[in-house]
Amino acid sequence: MYFEKTNGFPKDFLWGAASAAYQVEGAWDEDGKGVSVWDTFVRIPGKTFKATTGDKAVDHYHRYKEDVRLMAEMGLKTYRFSIAWTRIIPDGNGEINEKGLAFYSNLIDECLKYGIVPMVTVYHWDLPQALQDQYGGWENRRIVDDFVRYAKTLFENFGDRVKYWIIINEQNVFTGHGWLMASHPPGKAGDYKTFYQVNHHAFMAHAKSVLALKELWPDAKVGSSFAYGPSYAVTNKPEDAMAKYDYDDLQNFYWMDIYAYGRYPRAAVAYQLSRGIAPVMEEGDEEILKEAASKVDFMGVNYYQTTSVEYNPVDGVDGMGKMNTTGKKGTTEISGVAGMYRNPKNTNLPTTDWDWTIDPMGLRYACREITSRYDLPIVISENGLGAFDKVEDGQIHDPYRIAYLKEHVKELRKACDDGCRVLAYCTWSWSDVLSWLNGYQKRYGFVYIDREEDENSGTLNRIPKDSYYWYKTVIASNGAEGLDD
């Protein structure tokens, strides 16, 4: 759509930033916290860049007051953070850890003291290792009840102060990397049957948690966040257009249709049945999924890049392809499913050092597609640029990050003009964090954290970057300044 003038952002728009417990907190074994699958996985040689761990991360656990104060000085309207299951229930299904509850209660109160809306993610991948050992974690249906008990513990303790809840972060990523690519826990490759069964368990955990929240706090706003990469057909050939449809049903709509409609795409189910990889569902699951979908308040979107799709012959590439985890451009391999689609590089777009396409208009495209297909409000729960940042005379000049975010926010503003109901925009991330597979060299934040690639160097001092002050201007003007200059 074209509009001569913009209406700007809604008056109550939530300008925010995000983080995840494992990537920022550190204190991995303090105050009764249990061991997570990530605490274990990173100790396997070769799994992370230079064997980096989240043992110390950026020490948010001890420095959260300083961090929230810096957020307030920036003018942040909302802070999206996750809670570590292992801090609340160290072994996943046993006794509640009061010290864990106290930490997050204090963090929530600290945000509210400065007028920052806490947006809480229930699960951002750090499954208790004890549940993996007890019964295989997400592979076992028992995980649903343990997850819901954990979620209800959060709702009961924090629901009086937290109004925005994201149940699961990037389910498509932690399951894909965990059971197809072997790059996340539990480190399995090419196990499509288990992959789809794990996803069904996660969908049921999401659905039952949504219903539990609404029973306790009917006015709470809830959804889950999906790592959404809209797809473009490479050509106008019919076979490429059909390949795009195949890709969307299996890589995008498969998750969003459950969140919004409570059902799987029919074509995806037909494909699963043909290969014998369809998940086993229990009686009543369909009704629970549909009931939860009717109570979801928004679609959470983690947007970083778009994907190109073309027809892939039966004898073509078949697999996820190697990821770039070093920052050396051009090392990502093409992925695809033989007989359906493959994902070549988009030659029309620039890329980051990690080979992620830079496509600001793709964010608007994502919002338009969600609005058209699901008619749900949208929370942009992540969007940001990972880059190599350098300190020069005590300062961090990151014009590349400002340019990236500026163009994305401008497209988001156009999406609002298009009629998309966008509630919030949370950048990834507020400060530099541990990038799961890329260590500490891949920096995303508005605030530089003084730590190097190894585990023990650096002061962990916080230094606001140029982008910190740019975003402060954008927030203060509700997007009226800082975008068009």
Side-chain angles (χ1 to χ4, degrees):
M1 303 295 177
Y2 169 76
F3 301 92
E4 188 173 347
K5 294 182 179 180
T6 180
N7 291 319
F9 291 92
K11 291 182 179 180
D12 57 352
F13 192 72
L14 293 174
W15 297 95
S19 72
Y22 181 76
Q23 295 176 271
V24 297
E25 286 179 3
W28 78 283
D29 60 352
E30 293 186 32
D31 292 335
K33 179 185 173 297
V35 176
S36 77
V37 291
W38 272 95
D39 293 323
T40 302
F41 190 72
V42 296
R43 285 168 168 75
I44 301 173
K47 289 297 183 181
T48 65
F49 181 77
K50 294 192 175 181
T52 44
T53 77
D55 290 5
K56 184 165 59 175
V58 300
D59 201 29
H60 182 64
Y61 188 78
H62 297 113
R63 302 180 185 224
Y64 74 91
K65 289 189 176 181
E66 175 188 2
D67 290 342
V68 175
R69 176 180 58 79
L70 283 168
M71 294 176 200
E73 292 176 3
M74 187 188 211
L76 218 62
K77 301 297 183 184
T78 187
Y79 174 43
R80 179 200 167 209
F81 60 91
S82 77
I83 290 178
W85 190 339
T86 48
R87 288 202 194 280
I88 306 302
I89 309 174
D91 63 359
N93 53 13
E95 297 297 319
I96 305 297
N97 178 27
E98 295 298 329
K99 289 185 178 180
L101 288 175
F103 168 71
Y104 292 110
S105 183
N106 292 337
L107 175 57
I108 290 165
D109 286 344
E110 195 71 13
C111 289
L112 293 173
K113 182 175 78 173
Y114 290 103
I116 299 171
V117 174
M119 183 180 293
V120 172
T121 303
V122 174
Y123 183 77
H124 200 131
W125 307 353
D126 42 4
L127 178 76
Q129 181 65 44
L131 299 187
Q132 187 69 31
D133 296 337
Q134 283 178 44
Y135 53 70
W138 285 106
E139 295 183 24
N140 194 305
R141 177 80 182 214
R142 286 176 59 187
I143 190 70
V144 177
D145 289 340
D146 285 340
F147 185 99
V148 175
R149 179 193 175 223
Y150 157 61
K152 286 181 68 175
T153 301
L154 304 189
F155 304 153
E156 290 165 353
N157 283 273
F158 309 136
D160 59 330
R161 289 162 289 163
V162 176
K163 303 305 178 186
Y164 285 87
W165 293 91
I166 292 171
I167 304 299
I168 295 178
N169 177 77
E170 292 187 347
Q171 180 182 323
N172 55 327
V173 172
F174 86 79
T175 57
H177 283 258
W179 282 268
L180 299 182
M181 298 178 68
S183 53
H184 283 202
K188 297 184 178 182
D191 189 353
Y192 282 90
K193 174 69 174 177
T194 307
F195 166 74
Y196 285 117
Q197 192 63 53
V198 162
N199 269 285
H200 185 67
H201 295 160
F203 283 133
M204 294 307 300
H206 155 88
K208 288 190 173 184
S209 296
V210 167
L211 296 177
L213 174 63
K214 288 297 188 175
E215 184 175 346
L216 288 167
W217 305 100
D219 295 331
K221 303 298 182 186
V222 65
S224 278
S225 285
F226 175 68
Y228 185 28
S231 65
Y232 304 143
V234 171
T235 73
N236 58 1
K237 295 178 181 178
E239 55 265 40
D240 285 349
M242 189 56 68
K244 169 184 159 53
Y245 240 127
D246 289 340
Y247 178 87
D248 284 340
D249 273 342
L250 291 173
Q251 297 293 333
N252 286 327
F253 302 152
Y254 192 82
W255 285 267
M256 292 193 290
D257 279 10
I258 286 285
Y259 296 147
Y261 299 142
R263 58 170 170 76
Y264 293 109
R266 289 186 181 274
V269 173
Y271 170 73
Q272 291 172 331
L273 291 172
S274 75
R275 292 191 57 191
I277 56 176
V280 175
M281 299 175 66
E282 293 187 0
E283 184 176 354
D285 283 2
E286 291 184 17
E287 290 75 16
I288 292 170
L289 291 170
K290 288 181 179 178
E291 183 182 0
S294 71
K295 297 181 183 299
V296 161
D297 297 289
F298 60 82
M299 186 71 75
V301 175
N302 292 358
Y303 174 80
Y304 291 97
Q305 60 180 328
T306 48
T307 304
S308 295
V309 183
E310 65 183 0
Y311 172 68
N312 187 21
V314 175
D315 60 351
V317 61
D318 194 29
M320 299 297 288
K322 183 180 178 181
M323 284 183 61
N324 174 354
T325 59
T326 63
K328 297 179 181 178
K329 272 194 176 186
T331 56
T332 297
E333 295 177 354
I334 291 178
S335 62
V337 176
M340 289 199 291
Y341 60 79
R342 62 188 176 199
N343 306 114
K345 178 182 178 180
N346 188 332
T347 58
N348 298 299
L349 295 171
T351 64
T352 70
D353 288 324
W354 280 265
D355 296 326
W356 294 19
T357 57
I358 299 175
D359 184 5
M361 191 176 290
L363 178 56
R364 182 186 182 189
Y365 186 106
C367 292
R368 286 287 298 274
E369 188 156 52
I370 290 169
T371 298
S372 177
R373 187 176 178 92
Y374 306 112
D375 194 26
L376 277 172
I378 298 164
V379 167
I380 303 301
S381 40
E382 291 183 24
N383 173 237
L385 175 68
F388 296 105
D389 292 338
K390 295 182 179 180
V391 180
E392 299 177 359
D393 298 325
Q395 297 179 317
I396 300 89
H397 304 298
D398 56 344
Y400 40 87
R401 181 169 291 106
I402 294 173
Y404 176 98
L405 293 174
K406 180 185 293 186
E407 293 307 311
H408 282 76
V409 174
K410 285 164 68 173
E411 291 297 328
L412 192 63
R413 183 174 62 186
K414 292 177 183 177
C416 292
D417 288 333
D418 288 334
C420 301
R421 294 170 292 165
V422 186
L423 306 177
Y425 175 71
C426 296
T427 66
W428 186 265
S429 51
W430 179 76
S431 74
D432 292 337
V433 301
L434 165 64
S435 183
W436 300 92
L437 301 178
N438 303 281
Y440 295 97
Q441 62 163 353
K442 189 179 185 183
R443 296 177 179 269
Y444 278 95
F446 292 120
V447 175
Y448 185 91
I449 305 296
D450 178 27
R451 70 159 299 159
E452 300 302 323
E453 295 172 1
D454 65 75
E455 286 298 295
N456 298 305
S457 62
T459 64
L460 299 181
N461 288 343
R462 276 71 169 137
I463 308 172
K465 306 175 188 178
D466 287 356
S467 57
Y468 173 98
Y469 300 103
W470 168 82
Y471 199 45
K472 181 176 182 178
T473 296
V474 172
I475 295 172
S477 65
N478 197 31
E481 297 179 21
L483 300 182
D484 299 310
D485 51 346

